[in-house]
Amino acid sequence: MSSLNYDCSKNAIIPIAYSSFLIESSHLPTFASMPKALLHIILLFFACAASAQELFPIAEPASNVPKGVLGIRFYDETYNEVDRIRNLFALRLMYGARSKLTFYATPTVSNHHNKELPPEFPVHNTPQIGVTHPYLFNGVDFYAKYRFFTHDAQNSHFRAAIYGEYSILHVAHDEAEPTLLDDNSGVGTGLIATWLHNHLAISFTGGYIHPFKYSGTVPDEIPGLPGVPATVTYADGYNYSLSFGYLLLPHTYTDYNQTNWNIYMEFVGKSYGQVQMQVGNVYYNLPQYAISTNGIKALQSGQYLEVYPGIQTILRSTLRIDFSVGIPITSRSYVHYYPVYNLGIQRYFFHHNKK
């Protein structure tokens, strides 16, 4: 077995998590309209019965990066918003500080936002659909995971971990749904439980998100007129996922350099509250007034569930490449269009002690 991916007495290596806009539900892709290749992946997954890895393309497993190992992951999320291609690029740095403790730092760049809120937000231009946004450096998301429970058995294991997240971002988020990776500054925490038996891995994540307020200026539609100081208060959110992974190849291991092929099915959801907004600025002796966000879909409370079928290959036990496609099951997210395409490339670096 590969000491990196398959030894239950060791730790597993990990991926990135990662998420903008409005379309009517009649335009959303459904299972009936999915490409045949995608349906074949789903049917193949549920037809399989037995053994996989927990290197999920979307969700985090409870296992850690092994102590002293450095990982780098490039991640791209792409979708088509009317006639605009939206991209999120992330570069995650991962380090196994202890056998049970892992740290991540993830800077991101995307064309999802501007540095200011849309003109006359929230009454007009919410959400902005098909508008040209520049590629901006969003900021950095920091993540720590501590594995507090481990149970190992022959050809199987169970892990449980807690995580904490803190993000510092510099963009103006104009939807209610909070996302710490690239939309909101804030903090988050949660619990992860992962079970692996032979070729099959199953993992559940439940988490809490507390986004910070955004204070900035709402530009006027008429050039030359001054903007209005505003404060946007985002409600707390809850994220949850249930992920399944299955090892297709190889059937047996003979050396570390064998190529692995895994397939995945991940169910990802979130619930959150309504945005509140005030205009005016108390620091300049200006009164603050509440602005109603009622009736603006992208600013209302909501919940949704998506599914992400995916495929992955691991080369020489150190290079991982995965691809997944997200579509809605119930309701929808207002921070992206569908389908959502995700590509991840991850490499691990090991420190070899000199004798």
Side-chain angles (χ1 to χ4, degrees):
M1 290 186 180
S2 164
S3 61
L4 180 61
N5 298 318
Y6 301 99
D7 189 344
C8 292
S9 66
K10 303 294 183 183
N11 301 298
I13 305 294
I14 316 172
I16 184 179
Y18 302 47
S19 331
S20 280
F21 279 103
L22 175 65
I23 50 176
E24 296 302 324
S25 59
S26 61
H27 297 146
L28 296 178
T30 63
F31 284 103
S33 63
M34 291 169 61
K36 288 185 177 180
L38 195 56
L39 281 173
H40 289 165
I41 293 175
I42 295 174
L43 294 174
L44 176 62
F45 179 87
F46 285 108
C48 295
S51 173
Q53 286 317 303
E54 51 200 86
L55 308 177
F56 306 105
I58 303 297
E60 283 289 333
S63 299
N64 298 86
V65 173
K67 181 180 178 180
V69 171
L70 175 67
I72 297 178
R73 179 173 175 82
F74 169 78
Y75 178 85
D76 171 45
E77 176 194 87
T78 299
Y79 57 89
N80 183 26
E81 181 187 301
V82 187
D83 59 350
R84 300 289 179 185
I85 300 298
R86 299 292 188 200
N87 291 108
L88 164 67
F89 300 112
L91 184 65
R92 168 162 286 180
L93 305 178
M94 306 172 291
Y95 182 68
R98 297 286 187 270
S99 61
K100 297 182 179 181
L101 181 62
T102 295
F103 292 109
Y104 298 164
T106 311
T108 61
V109 173
S110 73
N111 62 345
H112 294 178
H113 309 280
N114 277 312
K115 289 186 176 294
E116 292 184 328
L117 292 165
E120 298 193 0
F121 176 87
V123 179
H124 302 295
N125 304 308
T126 304
Q128 291 188 301
I129 302 173
V131 174
T132 299
H133 294 306
Y135 282 93
L136 298 175
F137 173 66
N138 299 316
V140 182
D141 178 73
F142 299 95
Y143 180 99
K145 178 169 55 178
Y146 178 75
R147 175 167 49 87
F148 65 87
F149 181 82
T150 301
H151 175 74
D152 292 328
Q154 185 175 5
N155 299 322
S156 69
H157 69 229
F158 178 80
R159 308 269 196 256
I162 56 174
Y163 71 86
E165 191 172 4
Y166 174 68
S167 65
I168 306 173
L169 304 183
H170 311 288
V171 291
H173 183 47
D174 55 358
E175 289 97 20
E177 180 185 339
T179 305
L180 298 183
L181 181 65
D182 70 314
D183 287 333
N184 301 89
S185 294
V187 294
T189 187
L191 175 70
I192 308 170
T194 303
W195 176 73
L196 183 146
H197 180 71
N198 291 329
H199 291 246
L200 178 66
I202 303 174
S203 187
F204 170 79
T205 298
Y208 165 74
I209 304 168
H210 176 67
F212 297 154
K213 295 179 181 180
Y214 173 84
S215 294
T217 300
V218 178
D220 196 282
E221 285 275 17
I222 302 175
L225 292 181
V228 178
T231 300
V232 181
T233 303
Y234 308 94
D236 293 345
Y238 300 90
N239 59 283
Y240 32 87
S241 66
L242 182 63
S243 301
F244 300 85
Y246 182 80
L247 171 66
L248 287 178
L249 293 171
H251 298 297
T252 57
Y253 286 92
T254 58
D255 61 64
Y256 295 143
N257 294 326
Q258 286 179 279
T259 298
N260 296 359
W261 286 96
N262 304 307
I263 57 173
Y264 295 93
M265 188 67 61
E266 301 188 70
F267 300 90
V268 179
K270 192 181 291 183
S271 60
Y272 51 89
Q274 183 175 343
V275 163
Q276 305 296 322
M277 182 176 173
Q278 294 79 35
V279 297
N281 195 321
V282 294
Y283 296 106
Y284 293 94
N285 296 318
L286 296 174
Q288 286 195 311
Y289 300 97
I291 300 295
S292 175
T293 57
N294 294 334
I296 304 172
K297 288 186 177 181
L299 302 180
Q300 303 302 298
S301 60
Q303 59 184 7
Y304 63 87
L305 181 66
E306 303 169 331
V307 61
Y308 287 81
I311 190 167
Q312 177 189 88
T313 184
I314 300 174
L315 307 175
R316 302 179 66 87
S317 296
T318 59
L319 179 62
R320 171 185 144 195
I321 303 171
D322 44 57
F323 177 77
S324 62
V325 180
I327 60 173
I329 298 179
T330 61
S331 192
R332 54 150 306 177
S333 169
Y334 283 93
V335 299
H336 53 233
Y337 270 79
Y338 297 97
V340 184
Y341 301 99
N342 301 278
L343 173 67
I345 302 174
Q346 186 166 315
R347 177 66 190 270
Y348 312 106
F349 301 91
F350 298 88
H351 174 69
H352 300 284
N353 294 324
K354 295 182 179 180
K355 296 182 179 180

